[in-house]
């Protein structure tokens, strides 16, 4: 099957969206997991709050996946019929993928915040709510990244075109 | 910096979880009111000490004291196994501390002519040398024999204090010598290390505190610089002025010499109490409190890496000291107010 340059660029965008987000979320979850293991080794009853805090950096991975799926549906790679799209639209899809991928790097910082939050919760369980709020702050920028990507996809008719 | 943060993630989370099991302020209030070990033991439920308490510890202050120290030493061993490899001076600090405690036990045993069983019973497992080694030391007939048995160990330079001990029979000279060996060795090692800035800062305070305690005690006891110079650790810039002015100034004349250092305020505050009681212990307590405050400052300044560990170790040390004070007070029947007065940090 012959693919147009536009479609190839869009596929690269999807790959960046998912690939970078997976690495970032993995590192973030890893950091939080190391700290979580430290807390649980002392107090297994803290598994619940630890799990919530460890799960937070995973969301950037979900955004990366979502971005990749939107691109792939948009260019018809998912759904059976690959569309003929221009190189310009391909670049737009690539840009959307890059913005999602780069903004997902916030998962690393979120993992570090979650790790510290776990320590705080282990020391003072009543700080769980605050620890979650602090970790979620880092998430904001990943959400902005995803929104900008969606705006690009809608504006360039990759989505809904 | 990132490497430091990552390598300490597990350690820091674990120690923060341990801090969650520290004795709470309300529990301390109850502990101050205890009059027997049997009352203390149930109040330790939920803390790290509780699993170490056996039936004997509930009925006997000495056993309770030993259980608390066992928990403390096992904590040191545990942390020494999880800290990053590059932090080996912290490991040495955690382990050698127990060698020093056991050596002090032997020295006091020989000095006080205690029974061998009594000395052996006081040993705490946890150091680098092992209890089996310390058991070989209790066969020493005299302090000279004891020091001779330490040849080829890091403590062979205890000979520095032996001469003055033999002349005066004052254990201060040997204990000061032992402390100097411990702190000077650690100081030398951390000075030559690139990382562990926070730990080095903390050891620096401990070294200066050691020197100040020796100086203040010696001055209080009317000793000359010549008597104590072997027990002081050099390269402490803040105290150089004190070294040179030792024989000229009396104890109260010393404190103004420290005006530009962190030691000035706490020692000045303690001076009034010293003048009332004549006990140099008030200065020592002020210096211990300062070390604790310094460790807390280090922790706040550097919430990642080895900073939190330094804060934790000093807080734990203070908690253990305070708990031992409460346990010992039940033996001598101190009242609530006296116990609070005696605590390392109220």
């Amino acid at each position: 099957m012959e693919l147009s340059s536009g479609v190839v660029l869009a596929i690269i965008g999807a790959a960046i969206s998912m690939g970078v987000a997976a690495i970032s979320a993995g590192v973030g979850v890893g950091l939080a997991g190391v700290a979580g293991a430290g807390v649980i080794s002392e107090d297994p009853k803290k598994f619940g709050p630890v799990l919530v805090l460890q799960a937070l950096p995973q969301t950037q991975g979900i955004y990366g996946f979502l971005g990749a799926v939107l691109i792939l549906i948009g260019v018809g790679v998912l759904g059976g019929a690959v569309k003929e799209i221009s190189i310009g639209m391909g670049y737009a899809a690539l840009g959307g993928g890059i913005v999602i991928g780069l903004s997902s790097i916030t998962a690393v910082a979120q993992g570090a915040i979650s790790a510290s939050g776990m320590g705080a919760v282990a020391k003072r369980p009543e700080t769980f709510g605050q620890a979650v709020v602090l970790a979620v702050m880092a998430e904001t920028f990943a959400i902005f990244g995803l929104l900008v990507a969606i705006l690009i996809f809608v504006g360039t008719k990759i989505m809904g075109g | 910096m990132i490497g430091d943060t990552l390598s300490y993630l597990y350690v820091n989370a674990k120690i923060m979880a341990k801090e969650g099991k520290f004795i709470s302020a309300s529990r301390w209030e109850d502990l101050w009111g205890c009059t027997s070990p049997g009352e203390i033991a149930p109040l330790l439920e939920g803390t790290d000490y509780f699993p170490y308490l056996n039936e004997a510890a509930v009925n006997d202050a000495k056993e309770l004291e030993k259980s608390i120290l066992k928990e403390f030493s096992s904590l040191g061993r545990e942390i020494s196994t999880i800290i990053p490899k590059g932090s080996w001076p912290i490991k040495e600090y955690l382990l050698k501390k127990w060698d020093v405690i056991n050596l002090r036990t032997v020295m006091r045993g020989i000095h006080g002519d205690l029974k061998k069983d009594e000395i052996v019973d006081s040993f705490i497992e946890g150091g680098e040398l092992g209890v089996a080694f310390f058991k070989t030391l209790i066969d020493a007939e005299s302090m000279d024999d004891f020091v001779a048995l330490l040849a080829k160990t890091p403590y062979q330079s205890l000979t520095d204090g032996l001469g003055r001990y033999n002349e005066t029979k004052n254990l201060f000279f040997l204990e000061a010598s032992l402390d100097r060996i411990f702190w000077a060795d650690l100081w030398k090692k951390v000075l030559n290390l690139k990382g562990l800035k926070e730990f080095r800062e903390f050891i620096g305070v401990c070294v200066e505190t050691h020197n100040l305690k020796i100086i203040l005690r010696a001055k209080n006891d009317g000793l000359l610089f010549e008597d104590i110079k072997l027990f002081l650790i050099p390269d402490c810039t803040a105290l150089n002025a004190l070294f040179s002015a030792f024989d000229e100034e009396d104890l109260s004349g010393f404190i103004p010499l420290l005006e530009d250092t962190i030691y000035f305020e706490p020692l000045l505050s303690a001076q009034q109490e010293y003048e009332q009681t004549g006990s140099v212990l008030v200065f020592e307590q002020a210096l211990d409190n300062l070390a604790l405050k310094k460790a807390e400052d280090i922790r706040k300044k550097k919430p990642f890496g080895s900073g939190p560990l330094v804060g934790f170790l000093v807080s734990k040390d203070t908690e253990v000291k305070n708990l031992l004070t409460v346990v010992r007070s039940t033996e001598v029947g101190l009242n609530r107010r006296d116990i609070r007065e005696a605590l390392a940090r109220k």
Side-chain angles (χ1 to χ4, degrees):
Chain A
M1 186 176 66
E2 199 68 15
L3 292 176
S4 70
S5 299
V7 172
V8 171
L9 285 169
I11 290 171
I12 293 170
I16 290 171
S17 173
M18 186 64 240
V20 177
I23 293 169
S24 307
V27 172
V29 169
L31 292 177
V34 170
V39 171
I40 291 166
S41 70
E42 276 304 306
D43 189 355
K45 286 184 205 152
K46 297 271 171 17
F47 181 67
V50 162
L51 188 66
V52 172
L53 284 164
Q54 196 197 0
L56 290 177
Q58 283 187 343
T59 47
Q60 278 86 333
I62 296 170
Y63 302 155
F65 177 70
L66 181 65
V69 169
L70 288 176
I71 294 170
L72 295 176
I73 291 174
V75 297
V77 173
L78 280 178
V82 179
K83 293 177 190 169
E84 276 295 318
I85 61 164
S86 66
I87 290 180
M89 276 178 79
Y91 274 122
L94 175 63
I98 288 172
V99 79
I100 294 174
L102 291 182
S103 59
S104 72
I105 296 174
T106 53
V108 178
Q110 196 173 34
I113 302 167
S114 293
S116 297
M118 285 176 192
V121 170
K123 196 172 166 182
R124 295 176 63 189
E126 68 273 17
T127 60
F128 176 64
Q130 289 100 314
V132 170
V133 170
L134 290 176
V136 165
M137 288 295 174
E139 181 99 14
T140 323
F141 301 100
I143 295 170
F144 289 162
L146 178 66
L147 281 177
V148 168
I150 290 172
L151 289 174
I152 293 170
F153 299 152
V154 172
T156 56
K157 306 278 189 233
I158 292 167
M159 268 173 77
Chain B
M1 189 228 164
I2 291 170
D4 234 20
T5 304
L6 294 183
S7 59
Y8 269 93
L9 265 182
Y10 180 81
V11 181
N12 287 342
K14 198 173 173 77
I15 60 166
M16 283 177 92
K18 282 183 183 294
E19 281 174 335
K21 290 186 270 179
F22 272 0
I23 299 169
S24 65
S26 60
R27 199 64 74 88
W28 275 117
E29 287 290 336
D30 295 336
L31 282 165
W32 291 327
C34 290
T35 53
S36 72
E39 289 174 38
I40 294 171
L43 290 173
L44 296 178
E45 196 169 351
T47 69
D48 280 335
Y49 308 103
F50 198 70
Y52 288 82
L53 306 183
N54 52 25
E55 209 176 310
V58 177
N59 300 312
D60 181 56
K62 283 264 181 298
E63 283 297 325
L64 181 54
E65 205 177 299
K66 204 171 167 188
S67 303
I68 292 163
L69 289 172
K70 270 185 186 168
E71 188 277 328
F72 194 22
S73 81
S74 98
L75 171 79
R77 278 201 304 272
E78 186 188 352
I79 292 175
S80 72
T81 59
I82 58 170
I83 51 173
K85 277 183 188 165
S87 304
W88 56 269
I90 301 183
K91 186 177 177 176
E92 282 207 18
Y93 166 76
L94 290 167
L95 299 181
K96 282 191 173 164
K97 178 179 168 173
W98 295 98
D99 289 337
V100 170
I101 288 172
N102 286 333
L103 282 172
R104 205 184 297 273
T105 301
V106 180
M107 281 192 320
R108 287 179 182 175
I110 295 170
H111 177 75
D113 209 15
L114 297 181
K115 286 180 190 163
K116 287 178 181 175
D117 290 351
E118 217 174 315
I119 302 173
V120 171
D121 202 42
S122 301
F123 288 149
I124 303 289
E125 192 82 59
E128 283 183 339
L129 294 173
V131 165
F133 171 76
F134 294 107
K135 282 183 180 168
T136 65
L137 299 178
I138 58 166
D139 292 325
E141 295 291 327
S142 64
M143 208 58 94
D144 294 85
D145 286 350
F146 162 70
V147 174
L149 286 169
L150 291 174
K152 291 179 189 165
T153 73
Y155 306 95
Q156 59 185 350
S157 54
L158 261 183
T159 43
D160 289 346
L162 189 61
R164 292 292 284 139
Y165 169 78
N166 283 333
E167 283 167 30
T168 60
K169 293 295 168 208
N170 185 348
L171 206 53
F172 163 77
F173 295 105
L174 282 173
E175 294 197 327
S177 186
L178 182 60
D179 287 337
R180 186 194 55 84
I181 294 167
F182 176 69
W183 291 116
D185 181 53
L186 208 54
W187 183 230
K188 202 172 135 191
K189 282 169 179 163
V190 293
L191 266 183
N192 296 323
L193 213 66
K194 270 188 177 174
L196 291 182
K197 190 172 160 258
E198 300 75 35
F199 184 64
R200 183 166 58 244
E201 202 177 328
F202 168 65
I203 296 298
V205 173
C206 292
V207 165
E208 292 192 332
T209 300
H210 160 85
N211 280 348
L212 274 173
K213 282 181 180 175
I214 302 275
I215 286 171
L216 294 167
R217 191 164 276 277
K219 210 68 217 172
N220 188 58
D221 294 350
L223 298 173
L224 296 171
F225 185 69
E226 195 60 28
D227 296 322
I228 59 159
K229 70 174 184 190
L230 282 175
F231 314 124
L232 297 171
I233 300 164
D235 307 325
C236 295
T237 47
L239 302 178
N240 282 346
L242 251 72
F243 289 179
S244 53
F246 187 88
D247 291 330
E248 283 98 60
E249 298 284 351
D250 62 1
L251 205 148
S252 54
F254 261 106
I255 294 166
L257 295 174
L258 290 164
E259 200 166 353
D260 296 330
T261 71
I262 55 169
Y263 308 101
F264 179 65
E265 287 291 335
L267 290 177
L268 194 67
S269 307
Q271 194 171 4
Q272 199 182 357
E273 200 181 335
Y274 168 75
E275 279 160 11
Q276 284 166 1
T277 61
S279 169
V280 79
L281 274 174
V282 294
F283 288 127
E284 293 181 358
Q285 205 171 43
L287 290 170
D288 287 341
N289 282 344
L290 178 76
L292 176 62
K293 193 183 162 292
K294 187 73 191 167
E296 283 166 0
D297 290 347
I298 290 171
R299 173 194 209 131
K300 282 179 201 153
K301 205 167 67 184
K302 180 89 186 285
F304 300 107
S306 62
L309 182 59
V310 168
F312 169 75
L313 291 174
V314 180
S315 299
K316 179 74 184 179
D317 194 57
T318 307
E319 184 182 78
V320 169
K321 274 183 191 164
N322 286 346
L323 197 52
L324 292 176
T325 304
V326 170
V327 173
R328 284 166 193 158
S329 70
T330 62
E331 282 187 298
V332 291
L334 285 180
N335 65 32
R336 195 184 171 92
R337 207 175 131 259
D338 292 335
I339 299 170
R340 288 191 76 154
E341 286 286 308
L343 291 183
R345 176 88 177 229
K346 289 128 203 167

